[in-house]
Amino acid sequence: MYKVRIDKFEGPFDLLVYLLENARMDIYDIRVSEITEQYISYLKEMDELNIEVDTEFIVLAAVLIRLKSHMLLPRVTDSGEVMLEEDPRDELKTRLLEYVRTRKIAEMLGEREEYYMAVHEKPAEDLSVYTDNPDEILHVSDEQMVSAFIMFLTRKKKVDEVSRRYQKVRRRKETIEARIEYMTERLEQKFREGNGRVSFTELLPEAPDRIDVTLSFMSLLSMIRNQGYDAEQKENFGEITIKRKETAVAGKEQADV
């Protein structure tokens, strides 16, 4: 025994609810004749496609046909009096409402399952190390408490004095562009003074540290590549001298003429 699923419908009431929604028909006011024809027509299409239809679909079709016949019966007596009886659609309406409510709950549970499938919980840890050991209580005298408190105040006072006397100096960050501008001005000034070559150390700021030297060297490389300067170092770790490239010198002389 296995469950047959027709298209996207999991059962006869699923198909019936779909037909009602598609026809914009209220469950509380079902047009039985119309919905029965649509339901049977759908089953016939399934039969033409050689799709085996579950018995539950056939049973509901029989219920709808019986209900359609009952709705066609006259509701007046031979004498012309109106027969007061319950609406024959009430049982179907109750079952449909129960099915819709159950389907909504199933959809909600499915969404919760999908959500919690993505939730990963941390495995429980053994906390007996902390829960089994009683709290430690220090047994100290009043004199020991006072002595410890005085020691704490003394250390705090020393820390406060150091904080007032000294402050942490933060070095202002300088960009390569700013250093290139500074070094270019120094170079051109030296060249105007008649120096054909300028040493790298002459381009460093006063009291340079390692950061200054690194930043100046990176700036010099950019100046050699983009600004018509050339550099020379005759020996490893020796002094670096900077001069203008020959093409740059010729161009400057022509511009002066």
Side-chain angles (χ1 to χ4, degrees):
M1 184 69 181
Y2 58 90
K3 184 177 181 181
V4 177
R5 178 187 178 95
I6 299 180
D7 195 18
K8 63 179 179 180
F9 307 112
E10 296 185 351
F13 280 99
D14 196 22
L15 170 58
L16 186 58
V17 170
Y18 167 77
L19 294 175
L20 290 172
E21 293 175 349
N22 193 52
R24 297 184 179 181
M25 197 177 300
D26 191 355
I27 293 179
Y28 293 92
D29 187 20
I30 301 173
R31 298 189 293 275
V32 178
S33 178
E34 178 182 342
I35 206 66
T36 301
E37 291 178 1
Q38 292 183 13
Y39 185 88
I40 294 175
S41 175
Y42 189 89
L43 295 186
K44 288 180 178 179
E45 290 179 5
M46 295 300 100
D47 184 59
E48 292 174 358
L49 295 174
N50 295 324
I51 297 177
E52 184 178 354
V53 179
D54 195 358
T55 307
E56 296 176 354
F57 288 85
I58 306 300
V59 171
L60 182 57
V63 171
L64 290 174
I65 294 172
R66 180 178 60 82
L67 183 58
K68 175 183 177 180
S69 302
H70 192 76
M71 294 289 294
L72 295 175
L73 294 176
R75 300 191 180 186
V76 294
T77 62
D78 296 337
S79 59
E81 296 179 357
V82 178
M83 299 175 58
L84 298 178
E85 61 178 4
E86 294 182 357
D87 191 336
R89 299 172 297 179
D90 286 348
E91 182 181 354
L92 179 61
K93 176 185 66 177
T94 302
R95 295 179 65 182
L96 279 173
L97 291 173
E98 185 65 26
Y99 172 77
V100 171
R101 184 163 48 249
T102 304
R103 189 176 67 175
K104 288 182 179 179
I105 294 174
E107 291 175 354
M108 182 268 294
L109 292 176
E111 292 174 358
R112 289 174 64 94
E113 180 185 13
E114 184 177 356
Y115 170 78
Y116 284 110
M117 287 290 289
V119 176
H120 301 278
E121 297 182 356
K122 181 181 178 182
E125 298 181 5
D126 184 11
L127 301 179
S128 59
V129 178
Y130 309 100
T131 57
D132 294 345
N133 296 330
D135 295 336
E136 279 191 36
I137 300 176
L138 298 177
H139 298 283
V140 295
S141 63
D142 295 341
E143 290 79 8
Q144 290 174 319
M145 284 289 296
V146 172
S147 177
F149 185 66
I150 293 174
M151 186 180 299
F152 165 75
L153 292 178
T154 303
R155 290 182 179 178
K156 186 177 184 304
K157 184 177 180 181
K158 290 181 179 180
V159 171
D160 293 340
E161 289 178 356
V162 171
S163 300
R164 284 195 300 270
R165 292 184 180 181
Y166 302 96
Q167 60 180 356
K168 185 176 181 180
V169 179
R170 294 189 176 182
R171 181 181 178 87
R172 182 176 62 86
K173 293 183 178 180
E174 186 176 359
T175 62
I176 291 181
E177 289 77 10
R179 182 58 59 89
I180 290 175
E181 183 178 355
Y182 167 78
M183 292 173 63
T184 303
E185 292 178 358
R186 293 290 299 272
L187 271 173
E188 294 301 326
Q189 181 182 355
K190 293 291 183 180
F191 291 151
R192 286 194 298 268
E193 293 174 356
N195 298 321
R197 293 174 178 270
V198 182
S199 65
F200 176 67
T201 54
E202 294 181 74
L203 303 179
L204 297 176
E206 296 182 3
D209 57 12
R210 186 175 298 177
I211 296 177
D212 284 319
V213 175
T214 304
L215 183 61
S216 297
F217 184 74
M218 294 174 62
S219 301
L220 176 61
L221 295 178
S222 179
M223 292 165 64
I224 293 172
R225 183 173 64 251
N226 301 321
Q227 296 187 10
Y229 296 107
D230 202 353
E232 182 181 11
Q233 186 181 41
K234 294 183 178 181
E235 58 182 358
N236 292 338
F237 307 107
E239 182 63 66
I240 300 174
T241 56
I242 300 97
K243 65 176 182 177
R244 285 198 182 97
K245 289 183 179 179
E246 298 299 331
T247 55
V249 173
K252 181 173 178 56
E253 289 176 353
Q254 291 178 2
D256 293 338
V257 173

